[in-house]
Amino acid sequence: MTNKLLSNALRFLAIDAVQKANSGHPGMPMGMADVATVLFKNHLRFYSQDPNWLNRDRFVLSAGHGSMLLYGLLHLTGYKDFSLEEIKNFRQYGAKTAGHPEFGHGAGIETTTGPLGQGLAMAVGMAMAEQFAAAKFSTQIFNHKTYVIVGDGCLMEGISHEAICLAGHLKLSQLIVLWDNNEISIDGKTSITQSDNQLQRFAAAGWHTLECNGHDFDDIDKAIAQAKNNTNAPTLISCKTTIGFGSPNKKGTEGVHGAPLGAEEIVLTRKELNWGYPAFEIPEEIKNEWKKIGQQHEQAYCEWQKQFQQSPQHKDIQDYFSGAIPTQATAAIEAFKEKIIVEKPNIASRKASQEVLHILTDTIPNLIGGSADLTHSNLTKGKNQKAIQANNFNGTYVHYGVREFAMAAAMNGLALYGGFIPYGGTFLVFTDYCRPAIRLSALMQQRVIYVMTHDSIGLGEDGPTHQPVEHLAALRAIPNLFVFRPCDTYETAECWQIALANKTTPSILALSRQNLITLRTNYSTENKSQQGAYLIHETQQTPTISIWATGSEVMLAKAVSTLLEEKNIGVKIISVPCLELFHQQSQAYKNSLHSPFNIVIEAGIAMGWQGILKDNGLFFGVENFGISAPEAQAYKHFGLSKEQIVEKILAAVTKA
């Protein structure tokens, strides 16, 4: 059985599936079929009968538009989720074979890819995870590689620079990147847009670099074998390929990048590659050989399982990878909340978060923290946490550098690896840099926690470039994302508890720089923040107004209510730590918090609050960019002092 026959089987599955769907990208699978065949046959350690083997090699298709390459590999090697029917239903409604690989659609897909460059950065996170696991437990239990196929587009994206620099700095020697160097993008030759020397670029970032002919099986094999033997740096292999390999008229052109070959060209391609079989038909001997490849590591798998079962760390590893929060962590946070009620701290919610992290990082061993060069501003490092370094992953904290996007994507990789609970910090305004990765966290249903501090115009003198205004609304627009903005230390602890408990939803913790008084007055085993919004204060008079507020503005709402009470106007103050959770509550509960007149106070734009305001409500926020001024002056400039708010409320109530 020749490699050529094996790779042509993979090649024609892609050709036929794209043609049947009349949609897709056949060129990349055709060009990289030879490389993928050598990788899976000779190097990738996996066992198709257990796709979740902890010590499997990870394979990430960062160039996700070539999804049929991955689907074909999974089908041919015997992954049960990818039958021939699934291949035939490529890009159709309900199929596991979506237009780009989707994590969770079928076992064998390690991550969702498609937004170019993110697969590479998530693979960096997976390679980091392997190093964490090996350092925590044993290199006998965790000792696998992470392979990534990238295209020219992945390497054009800015995130690739962040990711390769981080990987090179950390000397992630178990990471091997296979570059589909075909010199074609959608617009044509890559020479029309770039002149980069990628080998020199990677070398400058501390990588080993190799080259091979992507259609010479022996050359490919030698390059991967050499990469596997590198022990002090990640490796880039430039695989010189021809996009649409085998197509007489379209190979080497952009015409085969993102469109079916067409019936006539497929006939010619079959003739060119001497493939005389109808669409989707693969001879039994070729199918059997591919299935053998899928199970060739069965003995290694069984030996590893035996070693794992007999390991004295077996129970610890199981607990570690269960994703459960240890009971001692829960008990410690409850004790901390009781302490808050007694001591009533007046601290910023970023500082409150750090106090929580001192507890969590001591009691949750798989909690991996970090910051994008803002550790002392985000306050994301627990007092006993040790930072990792190249060749030393005996720690739980990562200095990501000024690489917000790569940090967020790497955290996705850590979460996808299994077991790890990653969190990382930057300023809330820089969620703009992280947003594509945050979106993938939500899309893939990963428990990733984003600690985003300096959450409003309250940071003052830094001015409009650093003052988030539209960011809360923009983040709330992402489905399956919890956006928390706690009002005090107690609520901050509750929000951390919720973020940790939700295994399928990522969280944003939007935290203040300015100090916040403790507004909660009683300890309760009930987590009120879980309701998304709740009554935190009520005046003695019968309430006619509900003031809804988040974060630092709940403190402002309290001051406003005091002035209104003096004028015999009854007020409910509703703290809203998480709008998404509030929207999940019953209509009866929602109605119970409303009053005839509803006010919202949040130092951001009004988008997303319309349902709370009803028809006659008032919004007090910031509908323009911020201003460079001390906190109090900035709030006054935007009409967010207690006197300004009360004046407008009284005018509206009188008019009503």
Side-chain angles (χ1 to χ4, degrees):
M1 181 59 56
T2 66
N3 286 326
K4 182 178 180 181
L5 286 170
L6 292 172
S7 65
N8 278 342
L10 181 58
R11 192 171 272 120
F12 278 98
L13 277 180
I15 291 171
D16 294 336
V18 171
Q19 183 67 23
K20 184 175 185 294
N22 196 29
S23 174
H25 300 74
M28 181 271 184
M30 294 170 69
M32 283 296 281
D34 298 336
V35 174
T37 297
V38 173
L39 175 64
F40 271 64
K41 180 185 175 185
N42 297 348
H43 299 284
L44 191 76
R45 185 174 58 184
F46 70 106
Y47 181 47
S48 62
Q49 303 309 296
D50 185 357
N52 298 316
W53 176 17
L54 275 181
N55 200 39
R56 69 191 181 278
D57 286 343
R58 269 57 172 184
F59 173 65
V60 174
L61 184 68
S62 185
H65 56 277
S67 59
M68 265 310 306
L69 180 72
L70 176 58
Y71 300 145
L73 287 163
L74 295 176
H75 166 66
L76 289 170
T77 54
Y79 285 77
K80 65 179 181 180
D81 285 338
F82 293 92
S83 65
L84 185 59
E85 284 306 305
E86 287 291 345
I87 300 298
K88 291 179 178 179
N89 288 328
F90 175 58
R91 289 196 166 202
Q92 303 309 298
Y93 178 76
K96 294 180 175 68
T97 48
H100 292 80
E102 298 281 356
F103 176 79
H105 280 207
I109 300 174
E110 298 285 2
T111 181
T112 297
T113 55
L116 292 178
Q118 285 203 60
L120 170 60
M122 287 187 283
V124 170
M126 292 177 188
M128 290 169 60
E130 187 272 341
Q131 294 282 280
F132 276 119
K136 175 71 176 176
F137 298 109
S138 165
T139 54
Q140 299 301 310
I141 303 296
F142 295 97
N143 56 6
H144 65 81
K145 307 289 185 185
T146 298
Y147 294 92
V148 196
I149 286 181
V150 303
D152 290 300
C154 292
L155 300 186
M156 288 186 199
E157 291 286 359
I159 190 175
S160 71
H161 174 75
E162 296 181 25
I164 68 172
C165 288
L166 179 62
H169 174 71
L170 292 176
K171 299 185 184 300
L172 299 177
S173 59
Q174 300 285 62
L175 177 64
I176 298 173
V177 173
L178 301 156
W179 169 29
D180 178 20
N181 181 6
N182 61 37
E183 299 182 1
I184 293 292
S185 63
I186 292 175
D187 279 358
K189 288 282 188 182
T190 54
S191 58
I192 68 175
T193 57
Q194 68 173 43
S195 304
D196 309 38
N197 186 316
Q198 296 291 0
L199 293 174
Q200 290 181 4
R201 178 184 170 218
F202 275 75
W207 288 58
H208 288 292
T209 61
L210 299 167
E211 297 180 80
C212 72
N213 179 339
H215 302 299
D216 182 322
F217 296 107
D218 289 338
D219 205 25
I220 297 164
D221 188 55
K222 289 176 185 176
I224 298 176
Q226 188 175 342
K228 288 165 65 177
N229 288 328
N230 289 328
T231 59
N232 63 343
T235 301
L236 170 74
I237 304 175
S238 170
C239 305
K240 193 68 188 74
T241 62
T242 300
I243 192 171
F245 180 86
S247 169
N249 298 304
K250 295 187 177 182
K251 65 183 178 184
T253 73
E254 66 273 21
V256 74
H257 185 285
L261 268 67
E264 291 183 9
E265 188 67 16
I266 290 175
V267 170
L268 295 175
T269 304
R270 277 182 155 78
K271 184 177 180 180
E272 178 79 9
L273 295 176
N274 194 28
W275 187 259
Y277 309 104
F280 300 107
E281 184 177 312
I282 298 171
E284 285 299 318
E285 60 271 23
I286 298 177
K287 286 197 290 187
N288 290 337
E289 188 65 23
W290 267 113
K291 286 184 179 179
K292 286 180 185 177
I293 292 170
Q295 298 182 36
Q296 66 182 331
H297 297 289
E298 181 178 9
Q299 183 177 348
Y301 167 80
C302 292
E303 290 173 354
W304 183 91
Q305 290 290 354
K306 182 179 179 180
Q307 184 181 33
F308 178 49
Q309 295 292 332
Q310 294 176 350
S311 169
Q313 296 177 307
H314 179 256
K315 177 66 164 59
D316 291 339
I317 295 172
Q318 280 190 320
D319 290 344
Y320 198 90
F321 280 85
S322 72
I325 304 302
T327 55
Q328 68 178 117
T330 303
I333 291 298
E334 291 301 324
F336 175 71
K337 286 158 61 178
E338 290 187 86
K339 181 182 175 185
I340 292 167
I341 296 302
V342 175
E343 297 182 354
K344 296 179 172 54
N346 179 11
I347 58 177
S349 54
R350 64 169 175 162
K351 178 61 178 173
S353 173
Q354 185 184 47
E355 293 297 315
V356 174
L357 281 169
H358 289 329
I359 297 168
L360 297 178
T361 53
D362 279 350
T363 54
I364 305 177
N366 51 338
L367 191 63
I368 306 296
S371 173
D373 200 50
L374 289 169
T375 294
H376 303 297
S377 292
N378 301 144
L379 303 182
T380 41
K381 192 169 184 283
K383 60 185 176 184
N384 294 320
Q385 273 185 296
K386 294 180 180 179
I388 63 164
Q389 298 174 343
N391 301 320
N392 184 358
F393 272 68
N394 286 300
T396 58
Y397 195 81
V398 183
H399 290 292
Y400 286 101
V402 188
R403 303 183 183 106
E404 296 90 351
F405 193 177
M407 175 185 73
M411 289 196 296
N412 282 338
L414 282 163
L416 287 161
Y417 187 89
F420 297 100
I421 307 173
Y423 72 89
T426 184
F427 292 159
L428 182 63
V429 75
F430 297 142
T431 53
D432 286 339
Y433 289 155
C434 304
R435 186 180 177 86
I438 295 173
R439 185 175 187 269
L440 281 190
S441 301
L443 180 62
M444 296 187 293
Q445 300 183 350
Q446 294 302 299
R447 177 172 49 180
V448 179
I449 302 171
Y450 297 91
V451 181
M452 302 302 187
T453 69
H454 296 59
D455 69 339
S456 73
I457 58 170
L459 64 91
E461 295 86 348
D462 273 345
T465 60
H466 282 55
Q467 293 172 10
V469 172
E470 75 279 19
H471 297 74
L472 289 168
L475 290 165
R476 288 170 181 153
I478 298 176
N480 189 44
L481 176 68
F482 290 153
V483 181
F484 294 104
R485 193 167 183 241
C487 74
D488 65 3
T489 302
Y490 194 100
E491 236 181 51
T492 302
E494 287 190 324
C495 292
W496 261 109
Q497 287 179 303
I498 298 167
L500 288 168
N502 282 275
K503 293 184 179 181
T504 59
T505 303
S507 298
I508 303 282
L509 293 172
L511 306 173
S512 73
R513 187 181 81 163
Q514 70 269 39
N515 289 342
L516 307 176
I517 63 174
T518 299
L519 294 169
R520 289 285 281 274
T521 56
N522 296 300
Y523 168 75
S524 171
T525 55
E526 177 190 11
N527 188 322
K528 292 185 179 294
S529 295
Q530 184 69 54
Q531 298 167 309
Y534 64 95
L535 180 67
I536 195 170
H537 177 77
E538 189 171 13
T539 57
Q540 293 182 351
Q541 298 94 334
T542 301
T544 57
I545 297 175
S546 285
I547 302 180
W548 306 69
T550 73
S552 50
E553 284 75 73
V554 180
M555 187 169 62
L556 176 57
K558 182 72 162 54
V560 168
S561 75
T562 299
L563 294 181
L564 291 174
E565 189 175 11
E566 291 172 359
K567 299 182 181 298
N568 295 315
I569 296 176
V571 175
K572 290 179 184 177
I573 299 178
I574 313 300
S575 179
V576 191
C578 183
L579 264 177
E580 294 78 24
L581 285 171
F582 177 64
H583 292 322
Q584 295 177 11
Q585 306 307 308
S586 69
Q587 192 59 50
Y589 178 75
K590 294 176 185 177
N591 292 342
S592 72
L593 299 183
H594 279 88
S595 294
F597 200 72
N598 293 280
I599 309 297
V600 171
I601 308 176
E602 182 173 73
I605 65 174
M607 184 184 297
W609 287 103
Q610 290 79 2
I612 302 294
L613 291 168
K614 305 294 185 181
D615 295 329
N616 62 344
L618 286 177
F619 179 79
F620 294 92
V622 180
E623 294 294 341
N624 207 324
F625 292 112
I627 186 173
S628 294
E631 173 196 340
Q633 288 179 281
Y635 269 81
K636 187 174 181 180
H637 172 81
F638 288 105
L640 293 175
S641 71
K642 61 183 179 180
E643 294 83 5
Q644 290 168 304
I645 292 172
V646 167
E647 181 182 353
K648 289 188 177 181
I649 290 175
L650 291 175
V653 170
T654 302
K655 183 178 179 181

